Amino acid sequence: MTVGGWSAPETDVMANVGEALDGDRAVLATVVAVEGSAYRRPGAKMVIGDGDGVGAVTAGCLEDEIVALAREVLDCGQPRVERFDLTAGDDVWGLGVGCNGVIDVLLEPLAESYRPVVEAYQSGKDTVVLTVVDGDGTPVERGDRTVVFPAESGASGPCLQDTDWPDELLTALEGPTNRLLSADASDTVSVRYEGDDIDIFVDCVTAPPELVVFGSGRDVAPVARSASEVGFRVTVVTFRGGAATADRFPAADRVVSTSPADLRDVVSFDAETYAVLMTHNFVDDRIALTEVLDAPTEYVGLLGPRKRFEELRSALAEDGHHLTDDELDRVYTPVGLDLGGGTPLHVAQSIVAEVTAVHHDRSPNHLTERAGPIHSRSPVGVEPSEFE
Amino acid sequence: MTVGGWSAPETDVMANVGEALDGDRAVLATVVAVEGSAYRRPGAKMVIGDGDGVGAVTAGCLEDEIVALAREVLDCGQPRVERFDLTAGDDVWGLGVGCNGVIDVLLEPLAESYRPVVEAYQSGKDTVVLTVVDGDGTPVERGDRTVVFPAESGASGPCLQDTDWPDELLTALEGPTNRLLSADASDTVSVRYEGDDIDIFVDCVTAPPELVVFGSGRDVAPVARSASEVGFRVTVVTFRGGAATADRFPAADRVVSTSPADLRDVVSFDAETYAVLMTHNFVDDRIALTEVLDAPTEYVGLLGPRKRFEELRSALAEDGHHLTDDELDRVYTPVGLDLGGGTPLHVAQSIVAEVTAVHHDRSPNHLTERAGPIHSRSPVGVEPSEFE
């Protein structure tokens, strides 16, 4: 499901990149560096074809300018880097970015070199995309690209797509790439090559997380939709064939009717798979619970009161399956964050907020608390320079 | 914006009730009692006209049956109460309610007696709706209704709409009504009247909370939409006339261009008003911050890094406005819950989840934590009877 151009989830942006690769010419715009603060981090993408573009590189204020620049890039066929300095001017933040930052955006004609990234993303694999931002006077040029498949590297370091980049350059990139990979971040790094600096944007493109929702009731639809909006790929699974049709869950990427015995053949579970059990059926929830606990799934949300889980647990124990502490730690029941409200969309909001926080390894506190209580900070009336 | 029939926010359900009052015949179905657990609490409503109905009384499994019953109620013109016992049967929870409860649903031909409830709701006023569920052998009949306006009662107790109910009955209802009011809950209460029991459903209908979003950028739209879906009435305010047009924010109930001086004339703020400042403009955020802190608004979310707030605070201090601890406690910045993710819809998710939690007085923890760690509970292998 596509949710507006500017606010499209990353899954939709990538889908649009894939379509553009198969279709008409398009421009890929990527935030490659941020100094100070900005609405989006390096790696934020926008793809511009004939229309207004899909994706966001700022809070919405520079996108029109990016679209105009993309037309120029299409005309001349050359990648360029545009710097937006939002720290200047009389009207501070008057440009509307709500930040005091400098943003570099790489605009490039979308080329075949990006296809392996999209294909990996869509088949659930992470990549690291190395793109030359500035290579003046060196053997590489702005827009040159190579793609690393870290999951396939084993102990021997990153596995590179065939590339004609000099070995010394690739060796110099290994350290920064691995550091960014462990931080799940993207940034531009400068490496020294034969007396020249080469700026390379190292983009850690993470495959979308998977949400598997067990159930076929009406309450599944808003969960699928909300999760899809925040970038999950959603599979709806039911053990009751007739009830699960794709048109009931238009936001789901897949709707699967299967027998419990065949579940593992049609749905794969890994550590980036999140499961929500909302079958509203004791027998089905019990089967699903057994299956997902047996998989490496870190998150198993179970709809319903705690008492119901205790009954499920007891039923499993009677079958000889005594849940371990590790298994219990993976079960979130009642599912969801404690946000209050009892309508179907409140329930979906609570569930999807929880899955989002778990996926990002966050404790779902108020951000204002993470930053510390405001009034324990500097007393009022101090000079602005103290806030640097 | 209407979001599907079953998952419609309460605001949409009420809007549909209002339209039905002005249009064709319809049936109002209300959960009036729950024993055990259920997906929805007493007070959950569904309005059924010609179509499939709007609103949810269960997780979606009984709605088809409710629609069929509603046709019968329209035909005979008499209210009825239907009991759904989901505790029975071989296939426990086979009916799909995901609970082990008994649910009573009142179905009544929608009548003029409900109009004051809708009018109060839509003008931001709470009501308590007293509806006879069972009055056999007494002066009142099933479906008879009177409406209380608690906010207008002052010290002298609830203010009733004109009613011909006996004074003794109204007096007997006062205690239970006030107890439910303070708990913000709805339930059926039995009162003794001249030797007979009368069952009255006491429904605390709370006016929707108001979210005032300051800003006119593209990032306002997903916040307005998400908030609207969880029942907020949304007003978008901008001090920059041209940018704010209603078609940019289709989910907003109102889009207001105003000068700061006129703000209070066009937007009213009370304790149930929540403000989010995302103008991306220092001057505009400063004006908005001053205005909302001067109002009784409990929640002021401010988009942007903490450093930016410190600069705003410093600017206010230079104007002689030194923020008090009370004012600082009301400012949430960076706005939102710490859920992670950086796309526009992640930002909206984080903000709206925070406002929802604050509105419901919740700490946004995992519900599974609120219930206590699972594995500190009963050891495995105990008898099912221990889970009663």
Side-chain angles (χ1 to χ4, degrees):
Chain A
M1 193 173 86
T2 305
V3 186
W6 176 80
S7 58
E10 195 180 83
T11 41
D12 282 347
V13 177
M14 276 294 189
N16 274 274
V17 172
E19 282 166 23
L21 278 169
D22 290 333
D24 291 337
R25 295 182 314 156
V27 165
L28 181 66
T30 309
V31 177
V32 293
V34 170
E35 278 171 44
S37 63
Y39 183 78
R40 304 242 28 210
R41 304 304 307 152
K45 288 172 192 64
M46 183 176 173
V47 55
I48 306 109
D50 287 336
D52 289 340
V54 176
V57 290
T58 72
C61 40
L62 295 180
E63 272 71 0
D64 289 346
E65 194 167 343
I66 297 282
V67 169
L69 289 168
R71 305 267 174 266
E72 293 178 22
V73 169
L74 275 185
D75 286 345
C76 78
Q78 292 301 315
R80 67 193 272 182
V81 174
E82 202 68 26
R83 169 160 295 192
F84 299 95
D85 185 345
L86 307 156
T87 58
D90 291 332
D91 182 4
V92 182
W93 299 311
L95 271 171
V97 182
C99 59
N100 221 344
V102 180
I103 302 169
D104 289 347
V105 179
L106 169 68
L107 294 107
E108 55 180 321
L110 187 62
E112 282 300 313
S113 67
Y114 209 76
R115 190 180 291 277
V117 184
V118 178
E119 287 176 350
Y121 183 90
Q122 292 183 335
S123 62
K125 295 195 182 76
D126 301 343
T127 50
V128 182
V129 187
L130 308 174
T131 308
V132 176
V133 172
D134 193 343
D136 248 12
T138 76
V140 292
E141 287 184 0
R142 173 174 295 158
D144 282 1
R145 168 168 294 135
T146 190
V147 180
V148 178
F149 301 92
E152 296 167 8
S153 64
S156 60
C159 165
L160 297 176
Q161 192 193 17
D162 284 344
T163 174
D164 52 5
W165 290 14
D167 283 346
E168 302 91 310
L169 176 56
L170 292 171
T171 306
L173 281 166
E174 245 177 55
T177 297
N178 286 330
R179 279 194 293 279
L180 285 164
L181 249 181
S182 1
D184 194 18
S186 303
D187 211 348
T188 293
V189 301
S190 277
V191 292
R192 198 79 188 157
Y193 178 77
E194 294 185 354
D196 286 308
D197 282 329
I198 307 180
D199 291 345
I200 309 256
F201 179 57
V202 180
D203 192 11
C204 294
V205 178
T206 310
E210 303 270 347
L211 180 69
V212 179
V213 185
F214 290 83
S216 59
R218 298 193 204 197
D219 53 343
V220 169
V223 172
R225 186 173 61 84
S226 298
S228 160
E229 288 180 2
V230 288
F232 285 88
R233 272 210 302 226
V234 179
T235 299
V236 175
V237 174
T238 177
F239 301 133
R240 320 225 150 193
T245 56
D247 59 328
R248 286 196 69 175
F249 311 113
D253 296 270
R254 283 201 301 163
V255 178
V256 174
S257 285
T258 181
S259 71
D262 295 334
L263 175 65
R264 296 296 196 88
D265 295 333
V266 289
V267 185
S268 62
F269 294 88
D270 63 24
E272 291 298 286
T273 310
Y274 302 82
V276 172
L277 278 50
M278 43 199 301
T279 73
H280 297 282
N281 179 287
F282 190 77
V283 176
D284 289 356
D285 271 359
R286 177 170 151 185
I287 293 166
L289 186 61
T290 306
E291 290 295 327
V292 295
L293 285 178
D294 197 35
T297 310
E298 296 289 338
Y299 175 92
V300 181
L302 174 66
L303 185 74
R306 175 67 66 111
K307 177 165 173 284
R308 186 161 183 278
F309 169 68
E310 298 293 0
E311 287 172 3
L312 279 168
R313 184 180 170 184
S314 174
L316 290 178
E318 283 172 21
D319 292 345
H321 182 176
H322 298 270
L323 298 190
T324 64
D325 276 4
D326 169 68
E327 287 175 322
L328 291 171
D329 279 342
R330 293 153 61 202
V331 177
Y332 291 73
T333 189
V335 66
L337 297 185
D338 190 14
L339 305 177
T343 69
L345 289 173
H346 281 115
V347 174
Q349 175 192 38
S350 153
I351 294 173
V352 177
E354 177 167 74
V355 179
T356 303
V358 171
H359 171 56
H360 294 114
D361 289 324
R362 304 297 176 99
S363 289
N365 302 320
H366 296 277
L367 282 167
T368 198
E369 285 170 11
R370 197 171 80 148
I374 297 170
H375 55 258
S376 74
R377 292 203 149 204
S378 13
V380 289
V382 295
E383 292 304 306
S385 63
E386 290 198 40
F387 299 106
E388 298 295 276
Chain B
M1 192 175 87
T2 304
V3 186
W6 176 78
S7 58
E10 195 181 82
T11 41
D12 282 348
V13 177
M14 276 295 190
N16 274 276
V17 172
E19 282 165 24
L21 279 168
D22 290 332
D24 291 336
R25 297 183 313 156
V27 165
L28 181 65
T30 308
V31 176
V32 294
V34 170
E35 279 171 41
S37 62
Y39 183 80
R40 304 234 40 202
R41 305 303 309 152
K45 288 172 192 64
M46 184 176 171
V47 56
I48 305 109
D50 287 335
D52 288 340
V54 175
V57 291
T58 72
C61 41
L62 296 180
E63 272 72 359
D64 289 346
E65 193 167 344
I66 297 283
V67 169
L69 289 168
R71 305 267 173 266
E72 293 178 22
V73 168
L74 275 185
D75 286 345
C76 78
Q78 292 301 314
R80 67 193 271 183
V81 174
E82 202 67 25
R83 170 160 294 192
F84 298 96
D85 185 345
L86 306 156
T87 59
D90 291 333
D91 183 3
V92 182
W93 299 310
L95 271 172
V97 181
C99 59
N100 220 345
V102 180
I103 301 168
D104 288 346
V105 178
L106 168 69
L107 294 107
E108 55 179 323
L110 187 61
E112 281 301 312
S113 66
Y114 210 75
R115 190 180 290 277
V117 184
V118 177
E119 287 176 351
Y121 183 89
Q122 291 182 335
S123 63
K125 296 195 183 76
D126 301 343
T127 49
V128 181
V129 188
L130 308 173
T131 308
V132 176
V133 172
D134 193 345
D136 249 13
T138 76
V140 291
E141 287 184 1
R142 171 173 296 157
D144 282 1
R145 168 169 293 136
T146 188
V147 180
V148 178
F149 302 91
E152 296 167 8
S153 63
S156 60
C159 164
L160 297 175
Q161 191 193 18
D162 284 345
T163 174
D164 53 3
W165 289 14
D167 282 346
E168 302 91 311
L169 175 56
L170 292 171
T171 306
L173 280 167
E174 244 176 58
T177 296
N178 286 330
R179 278 193 294 279
L180 284 164
L181 249 182
S182 6
D184 194 19
S186 302
D187 212 348
T188 294
V189 301
S190 276
V191 291
R192 197 83 188 154
Y193 179 77
E194 293 186 353
D196 285 307
D197 281 330
I198 306 180
D199 291 344
I200 308 257
F201 180 57
V202 180
D203 192 10
C204 294
V205 178
T206 311
E210 302 270 348
L211 180 69
V212 180
V213 185
F214 291 84
S216 59
R218 298 194 205 195
D219 53 341
V220 169
V223 172
R225 185 174 60 85
S226 298
S228 159
E229 288 181 3
V230 289
F232 284 88
R233 271 210 302 224
V234 179
T235 299
V236 174
V237 174
T238 177
F239 302 133
R240 318 223 150 195
T245 55
D247 59 329
R248 287 197 68 175
F249 311 112
D253 296 271
R254 282 201 302 162
V255 178
V256 174
S257 287
T258 180
S259 70
D262 295 334
L263 176 65
R264 297 297 196 86
D265 295 332
V266 288
V267 184
S268 62
F269 294 88
D270 63 24
E272 291 297 286
T273 311
Y274 302 83
V276 171
L277 279 49
M278 44 199 300
T279 74
H280 297 282
N281 179 286
F282 191 78
V283 176
D284 289 355
D285 271 359
R286 178 171 149 185
I287 292 167
L289 186 61
T290 307
E291 290 295 327
V292 294
L293 286 177
D294 198 35
T297 310
E298 296 289 338
Y299 175 91
V300 181
L302 173 66
L303 185 72
R306 174 67 66 113
K307 176 166 174 283
R308 186 161 184 277
F309 170 66
E310 298 294 0
E311 287 172 4
L312 279 168
R313 184 181 171 183
S314 175
L316 291 177
E318 282 171 22
D319 292 346
H321 181 175
H322 297 270
L323 299 189
T324 63
D325 276 1
D326 169 66
E327 287 174 324
L328 291 171
D329 279 342
R330 292 154 60 204
V331 177
Y332 291 73
T333 190
V335 66
L337 297 186
D338 189 12
L339 305 178
T343 69
L345 289 173
H346 282 114
V347 174
Q349 175 192 38
S350 153
I351 294 173
V352 176
E354 177 167 74
V355 180
T356 304
V358 171
H359 171 56
H360 293 114
D361 288 325
R362 303 298 176 100
S363 290
N365 302 320
H366 297 277
L367 282 166
T368 197
E369 285 169 13
R370 195 170 82 150
I374 298 169
H375 55 258
S376 74
R377 291 201 150 204
S378 12
V380 290
V382 296
E383 292 305 305
S385 62
E386 291 199 41
F387 298 107
E388 298 297 276

